[in-house]
Amino acid sequence: MISRPKIFGRDVAQVHLLGAGGMGMAPLGLYLSRLGFRVSGEDDGWNPVVRELLEQAGVAVTVPGGLPDEARLVVHSAAVAPGHPSRRRATALGLPQVRRGEMLAELVKGKKLVAVVGSHGKTTTTAMLVTALARAGFPCGWILGGLFQDDALPPARVDDSDWVVAEVDESDGTINGFAPEVTVAVNLDWDHADHYAKLADLEAAFAALFARTKDAVFISDACPLSARIVSRLVERDGPPHGGDAVRRPAATFTFGRNGDFQCHLLSDIGSRLKLALGGRFSCKEAAVRAQGEFNATNAAAALAVAQHLGAKIAPDSLAAFAGVRRRQTLLHASTIRVYEDYAHHPTEIRALLSALRHSVGSPSRDKLGTLSLSNGLVGGPRAAARPQGPALQESSGRLVVVFQPHRFTRTAQFKAEFAVALAGADRLYLMDVYAASESPVAGGTSADIYAELRKTGAGHPVTYLPGNDAGLLAGLTAALKPGDTVAFVGAGDIEQTARKFVARLQAAEKREAACHEFITVVRMRLTAETKLLEHEVLASKTTMRVGGPARLYAEPASTEDLQQLLREANRRSLPVLLLGRGSNLIIPDAGVDGLVISLGHEHWQKFELQPDGRVWVGGGLRLKNLCGLATKAGLQGFEFLEGIPGSVGGALRMNAGAMGGWMFDVVDEVHLMSLAGEVRVMKKAEMHFDYRHCDEVQAGIALGACLRPAATAASTDIRRQINVYQKKRVESQPREPSAGCVFKNPPGTSAGRLIDELGLKGARVGDAEVSPVHANFIVNRGHATSADIIGLVRKIRARVKDARGIDLEPEVMLYGQDWRDVL
């Protein structure tokens, strides 16, 4: 029976963890819980898998800042600053606060500690060592600095034996609190400049750790820094030679190609390593479930230490190694493979890309053009006028890397080295630095890495969109081709980004399969008059003249064909969007991954006088034509619609208005079809409409409407009023391509007036410009992209919010997307 130990000389019943979702903190929380402590924890950004693991172990998850009254000790990760609400409250209550490393050192006191240390690969090596020991039945506890890929072994285990294996981190100096029985230094590199200002500081920390090691130190034969530190140590019982020398541990062993424990990589095929072992190893070969030469070295270290401890190693000790989350984790495998990896140091990135390159094949440089910091596109902003989805391109076998630098200090220290390491990619996407609680430092931003890449003349395309990771990932999606391998790399929250990207990619692949099935089935059921196309460019069908293609595009010739289209799309959960005259909307550059329906066939263009004086108009009838036909028939009340560049269906959907009139002023009833193909007729009194909106039409398709004229009059009188409106429009609205008014009017004022008063007329992003004629219009000066327009919308909103405290709400539709996802 394991009894709860005292910690720091005190009997502590409950421990609270800050940053409990971190890869170092979560296993520590599990270990504490299994020792008998009551454990609670909080984190600002939980990974669902980690949270569930802790909750299943009995750890109570609290809200951020929710320090429980029962807590008697606070353990925090290095990323949690003293100003954190729970740390401030703990200080006010007089509760002791310790770092993760300090807590770990306290817990393993009195145990024979195997400390796995080093700059790169210590989590994987620790996991491999634990796997080999468990396979051999060697009794020990352990605490990883990460999670296994599966649940065959937990990331932490309490055992009543003398031995415990733990990953020990040097980043914050807590390494000085450990006195291991055995130390395994996987490799050493200068890092963490915020704590180790000079390489000599790092050397001193590890020299002292080696000196405190009671039994043996294991180092890589390929690490000159480790060898130099060991060479400067003196015999444990001998006199010191110079002030910098410290005592040597009882024994020192090397592992690697020419080490005491020899390891040679024989093959690296399909995430399976075959190793030849020699020297002190008791067996002559090993199979490892991993890939890359650096993992062969990690395996050699793990097997060497396992044998030294007395465990029986065998050729299959690591054959079923589960791997570690965020270490070459394969998130998705189809025509595109997606990996995620924790690498955040240039050495780690070089090793990772080398391993991935081995699986991808020889480089396939994409010589599309030069770097572009301003818009992130390669070969200029028009390079991808018609992007296509991943399943539509030819195989390329490229290695595409998305890199998120971790910490400003590290980025400043290694920006040049990062540029060199990232040259191993065929295409690179740079995200902004993950701060990890740091404040920005000079030379430590992603822009500085970008500048280094330009300086070195990077031969591969690089995309960097400062402050716009969403746009960057959209560009990545559009550029992918079958055969590509994508690697999300970094130690920040890029794992969450990668998993969200994969979810979207899987959804897109599922939709692509649904689209193929839809086309096959529907084409056999439609009449010859109905148009059904794939990858139809939409820009020419809009008044703004921007946007990519529709995956599927249809112009049904009858109500029955429209029902077939909608029912089959509904069965396959395909998104359906209606396109009228293409006004009052912005189509994304990547296009629309779904079915776009246009009522462009003449069947939907009808204008028919009814015996009761009403007029039946089809949903596809242009408002300009409606106005002209009504004038010819001597019907008043429709004049305000003449200059609106839309169709009846669109006007009903948006309750379009101008010159003091609104669409629903003249509506009597609307014929609707739901997206499931059901038809119903609704009277105006049954419908819910207001400024620029109608609930019922938003949820379906307006087939047409019965309109009620205000009166009858001579055509010449009606035309005279239309001419007045036309003149006013010409004087107050731009003639260049636009989508109409961009923003809704805030209460009590107009959006155009606000924008004008702030001097934004003429403001531009690319070829998108705030109209000099009317400030609530954005016009296309010739070659604008959707990205240009969205960028200008952001710029306008930010300026108005900053100057007037008003959040302008877009009136134009972002077709197939939600403005909230891009603003």
Side-chain angles (χ1 to χ4, degrees), residues 776-799:
N776 201 17
F777 280 67
I778 291 177
V779 297
N780 183 349
R781 283 297 183 186
H783 299 286
T785 65
S786 177
D788 292 341
I789 296 164
I790 293 170
L792 188 52
V793 167
R794 285 198 197 101
K795 183 176 180 179
I796 295 167
R797 291 182 82 246
R799 182 71 181 277

Side-chain angles (χ1 to χ4, degrees), residues 607-617 626 630 633 635 638 666-671 681-684 705-710 712:
F607 178 95
E608 297 174 344
L609 297 174
Q610 305 297 298
D612 59 4
R614 297 182 302 169
V615 181
W616 167 259
V617 291
L626 163 59
L635 303 177
F638 307 108
V666 295
V667 167
D668 188 65
E669 68 181 29
V670 179
H671 292 217
V681 178
M682 296 191 73
K683 300 297 287 185
K684 173 181 174 179
C706 280
L707 308 181
R708 190 172 295 279
T712 58

Side-chain angles (χ1 to χ4, degrees), residues 125-136 140-144 148 153-154 165-166 302 318:
T125 302
T126 307
M128 285 180 169
L129 175 55
V130 165
T131 300
L133 293 174
R135 174 77 172 78
C140 67
W142 63 75
I143 308 172
L144 261 64
F148 283 103
L153 289 173
V165 178
L318 295 175

